[in-house]
Amino acid sequence: MSLENRITDIIVSRLNVKKEEVTNSASLKDDLGADSLDMVDLMMDLEDTFNLKISDEDGNKLQTVGSVVEFLKGKGIEA
Amino acid sequence: MNLNATAVVTGAARGIGLEIAKKLINTGWTVAALDMLEDDLNRSAHKLGSMYRPYTVNITDTQQLAVVAASIGKELPVVKGIVNNAGITRDALMMRMGEDQWNMVIDVNLTGAWKVTQAFMRSLIRAREGSIVSISSVVGLIGAAGQTNYAASKAGLIGMSKSLNRELAARGITVNVVAPGFIETEMTQKLSEEVRSDYLSRIPAARLGLPVEIAEAVAFLMSPSAKYITGVVLPVDGGLTT
């Protein structure tokens, strides 16, 4: 499964949104309705899934689906 | 009735914690009974049957707690309830209280509750329902000579719960506090006759409470009937603090 698809699946299950809504430019908070607790939950899920640590500072920068994909790629995660 | 949901109860081997475990089992919960007292845990498990699942753990030890949380996640129904009941006393007048007496009580009663709640709360958040009840004490509300450490820990649970309520209420999770008055337990049986009669004279109901009366209040706050009750401190004290 591609990295994009894995991230999409996590977001769909955590935020209870439709797959079609999870586009690269979608804002996690504004478009997908994540509140601060959802964001923390999502970051913890990404940490568990991809076995890495996301600092609060990095976490705050992850505002869109695309930024999450880019961040994980930057950490050397391909799929 | 079986709710197919687990309630984690700390200090559940005996006393008030054991009564809470019994009552929750009667209302359909599976109880993950956490305690340091392995023998008491096993004895209670023998009496209460398969809905009472014993886990020996020191709740001040983050590593042990993580291991137990992982086991419970695998072995039991989804965790939807947390009861922070474990507590100790190390009484002394403040002039004579050692720093170790202060630290030990805060570590178990307050930090332990924080650690246990953190270890299991994600399960409630995922389920988008559940209840967290912390057992405070009237001493946290009105104070008691010789218990600056205990009172601080029990008042701390109130602040923790009220704040956590603000984080979790929108998820359908209730966070409440039960503040027992003077209850017939091993802890209060150790009191001198003089202290005991002084307490009695201050309780409008003119008797000590029973552990089961605390358990009833906890079970109510964890029941569907109490879904809209959150962030409260419920004294169960025969009118002592009113």
Side-chain angles (χ1 to χ4, degrees):
Chain A
M1 203 196 299
S2 75
L3 180 60
E4 282 82 352
N5 283 340
R6 290 178 74 184
I7 292 170
T8 300
D9 283 354
I10 292 171
I11 292 173
V12 164
S13 74
R14 285 299 149 252
L15 302 184
N16 212 7
V17 291
K18 293 199 186 77
K19 215 165 185 163
E20 307 83 79
E21 297 176 77
V22 187
T23 61
N24 245 350
S25 61
S27 158
L28 295 167
K29 288 180 183 162
D30 298 335
D31 299 322
L32 303 178
D35 65 13
S36 57
L37 193 58
D38 289 322
M39 291 298 287
V40 172
D41 195 20
L42 196 57
M43 293 307 140
M44 288 172 76
D45 235 10
L46 293 171
E47 288 182 335
D48 292 347
T49 307
F50 298 105
N51 197 24
L52 54 93
K53 273 277 169 207
I54 304 174
S55 68
D56 287 350
E57 198 187 340
D58 283 337
N60 288 335
K61 290 184 201 145
L62 304 180
Q63 296 293 325
T64 63
V65 176
S67 66
V68 174
V69 175
E70 287 312 310
F71 173 78
L72 291 174
K73 281 185 176 163
K75 292 280 177 186
I77 293 158
E78 298 295 334
Chain B
M1 186 182 53
N2 187 332
L3 297 174
N4 208 24
T6 297
V8 175
V9 181
T10 66
R14 60 183 194 185
I16 292 175
L18 179 59
E19 285 302 320
I20 292 169
K22 280 186 202 165
K23 182 71 199 171
L24 291 178
I25 288 168
N26 285 341
T27 53
W29 291 87
T30 301
V31 168
L34 275 52
D35 210 298
M36 285 178 73
L37 305 169
E38 192 168 10
D39 292 347
D40 288 326
L41 263 184
N42 290 334
R43 202 170 305 129
S44 298
H46 190 70
K47 274 188 216 145
L48 296 185
S50 65
M51 298 289 270
Y52 180 97
R53 305 289 293 264
Y55 293 88
T56 308
V57 60
N58 175 349
I59 59 164
T60 65
D61 186 326
T62 310
Q63 306 298 331
Q64 278 186 32
L65 209 45
V67 171
V68 164
S71 305
I72 290 171
K74 278 191 219 106
E75 295 162 9
L76 302 189
V78 61
V79 174
K80 291 187 187 177
I82 302 170
V83 182
N84 292 308
N85 166 75
I88 61 167
T89 56
R90 292 290 182 275
D91 296 355
L93 294 176
M94 186 151 162
M95 294 264 284
R96 297 287 296 166
M97 187 179 286
E99 197 174 328
D100 57 330
Q101 289 173 295
W102 170 269
N103 286 338
M104 199 180 288
V105 169
I106 298 292
D107 276 355
V108 174
N109 298 7
L110 182 57
T111 312
W114 182 85
K115 285 182 179 178
V116 169
T117 304
Q118 194 182 51
F120 292 99
M121 64 190 296
R122 246 180 130 190
S123 170
L124 283 67
I125 292 169
R126 292 280 163 77
R128 287 185 149 60
E129 65 173 334
S131 0
I132 301 170
V133 178
S134 293
I135 308 303
S136 177
S137 166
V138 290
V139 168
L141 300 171
I142 61 175
Q147 294 198 307
T148 49
N149 50 2
Y150 186 77
S153 72
K154 294 301 188 179
L157 286 174
I158 294 172
M160 180 184 91
S161 299
K162 284 185 178 270
S163 300
L164 186 59
N165 169 53
R166 294 183 186 278
E167 294 182 14
L168 299 184
R171 288 295 198 290
I173 299 165
T174 63
V175 186
N176 292 298
V177 173
V178 169
F182 298 111
I183 307 299
E184 298 276 7
T185 62
E186 279 178 41
M187 222 188 256
T188 50
Q189 271 160 19
K190 286 186 211 145
L191 299 170
S192 70
E193 201 45 51
E194 190 189 348
V195 174
R196 208 180 156 88
S197 63
D198 175 51
Y199 281 163
L200 277 176
S201 71
R202 289 153 58 193
I203 302 170
R207 66 171 177 86
L208 299 196
L210 302 171
V212 68
E213 291 174 308
I214 304 305
E216 295 279 359
V218 173
F220 167 68
L221 289 171
M222 294 177 72
S223 74
S225 309
K227 266 274 157 230
Y228 201 55
I229 301 175
T230 187
V232 307
V233 179
L234 177 60
V236 182
D237 65 359
L240 177 65
T241 55
T242 53

